[in-house]
Amino acid sequence: MALVTEFLSTIRRFVLDQNGDGLRDWLQVENDVPATYFQLGQELKSAFPANGSDALERFIDKCLPEEDDVPPGKGSPWPGFNSLMKAYLEYWRDVNFDNLVALHASLSDLLISCANALANPTYGVMLLQTSMSFSESLSKLVMGITRQPDLMAQIQGGTAGDESGEKKSIVELAADVIQKIFTSCLTDRSSTRWSPPKGKKVAVYMFANLTLKLLFACDKSRLAIQMFTNLSASGPALALYPASQRVTFLYYLGRFHFDYGHFYRAHKCFEAAYQQCPPQFTKHRRLILTYWIPSNLLLGRFPSLALLQRPEASGFANIFVMICTAIRAGNFATFHAAMAFGKDWLWEKGLYLTLLYKLKPLIWRSFTRRVFLLTWNNTGDTRKVASLSLDHLVTAATYVQRLLEGYVPLRQPAGPKARPPHISAIFLKAVANSAAEVDSHSLLTPPAGGPRRLMPSEGLVFGNKRPDINDVESVVAGLVYAGLLNGFVARQQKLFAVEGAKRTGGNPVLAGWPPAYRTIMERLRQEYEESVAAYRNGDSADPPGEFDDVPGWVVQR
């Protein structure tokens, strides 16, 4: 047992000196370690076989006795630490790196023992580095196992259920253990909430970031809700921590709010993360931009060419410029082409479905504006309310639907044409002919083999369904409710009537189609003011805070 004794003697010296770095360097758990660790495991098998005896526990207590009189600045083993060492030596005695199921169970038990030892209020802080090392190893193992369904099935079948009888996934189990360490750091009283962190509080955001990395890698971001709630309630100010921890935390907090549709909050997080990330960290800034640009797109703001020309944005213009062009023009065909072009990359980043569905209201806004400009007959009479015919919108939508199905515009024969009295007439003639059954006067011809069969998300309404008056009226009403259109729907007249043209100098376009970003922000502020009113009236128990507050982001006021 010479090797085991020597190992424990070295560990004892680290404990007496409160050398957390030394403990981390010696308490290794992965397979890329010196051969001495495997020799240690063989010696443990011979001297302390897994037969239910308490010999190993008694041997550890003998080698790591608890000190009676500890000098200032020194440490001492404690029962929780000795339990950790027992779990650690059993880990190396029984480990089989080829059996990932057993390895996961052993490493999980070891991290739980480490978390229990870390909770010691006097000496637990020396295990911070070791706790981080064990947590990183378990996270890496769990992320690898989640990509192997057969192993997942084996582990899930053996896990116990919670009080409701529902079994937790291995991601939830690992996150629970790491969050236990996070909570131990969060509740440490070595420093106050708003003072520079000391003791275990220095690691609050380190363990928060590790937990978030695990959850997002395994598509379990919903499990972070409780952690963000705890941080908002009693967490230290983020500004007190190093830039690397701030940037990482803000990135994941932005991802969380993006996933739950709070795009303004996500924008605030990504903006701060990007500004605090030094320019030389191109890879990190690129990752932030990957989600910051879509967050702003969904708010109605487009990236500038100057931003897209930065090194960290290399290649982004190929995807986002085409999407922005489609939104500005209200061009559904261009939008779907842009989404198809970047589908693999957008899907990998978890952006595809969000952009595909949530950008369509902005495209419909531009599309209705375009149809209004083509069909509006401006007589100059300011007493007459400017309006958009829903029938015209149906005709134009049907024309676009045919284009999405693969219909091709016909080339018109050369020759003199009579000048139309106004543009709306030729527009209506063109789209009416195109939307009707194909004949010798149509401006569209069906593709060879018939119209393309569209997926539900590829059509204007639902797949190959032809837009009708009810569909168009529903879309326009939704845009009015969202504030993207300013006016009302007159159902009997089948019109969208523009309001407030006098306030814009008689310009119905500016009045009826206000800037998207401005209207979205006005709606968010209105919702915030309603929540404030509800709190003041006693209808809500939770104070709403300030408008720019981001839940989970602790800011010292």
Side-chain angles (χ1 to χ4, degrees), residues 92-156:
W92 276 106
R93 181 193 65 189
D94 304 329
V95 70
N96 178 2
F97 290 105
D98 294 326
N99 186 344
L100 297 184
V101 175
L103 179 62
H104 170 264
S106 299
L107 194 51
S108 297
D109 291 341
L110 180 58
L111 184 56
I112 292 173
S113 296
C114 188
N116 293 333
L118 179 71
N120 183 277
T122 306
Y123 302 120
V125 67
M126 72 175 73
L127 288 174
L128 275 180
Q129 297 92 325
T130 303
S131 300
M132 176 59 67
S133 176
F134 287 177
S135 299
E136 289 174 342
S137 297
L138 180 60
S139 298
K140 188 191 305 182
L141 178 63
V142 168
M143 286 187 278
I145 290 176
T146 56
R147 292 189 285 268
Q148 302 184 55
D150 55 331
L151 296 180
M152 283 282 289
Q154 293 182 50
I155 295 176
Q156 293 295 137

Side-chain angles (χ1 to χ4, degrees), residues 397-462:
T398 305
Y399 177 81
V400 172
Q401 176 71 21
R402 290 290 177 89
L403 291 177
L404 293 173
E405 292 174 354
Y407 282 68
V408 181
L410 288 172
R411 290 189 177 184
Q412 296 300 303
K417 292 184 179 180
R419 184 187 179 106
H422 49 76
I423 192 170
S424 60
I426 190 65
F427 167 78
L428 290 176
K429 181 177 184 297
V431 295
N433 287 342
S434 304
E437 295 298 324
V438 178
D439 55 31
S440 59
H441 301 292
S442 176
L443 298 183
L444 290 178
T445 181
R452 185 167 70 92
R453 187 173 182 82
L454 301 177
M455 297 291 290
S457 62
E458 292 177 328
L460 255 65
V461 180
F462 187 87

Side-chain angles (χ1 to χ4, degrees), residues 155-170 172-173 176 220 222-223:
I155 295 176
Q156 293 295 137
T159 55
D162 57 15
E163 295 179 356
S164 64
E166 182 179 351
K167 290 186 176 182
K168 291 187 175 183
S169 68
I170 63 170
E172 291 176 282
L173 294 172
D176 285 347
K220 298 286 186 180
R222 61 180 177 80
L223 301 178

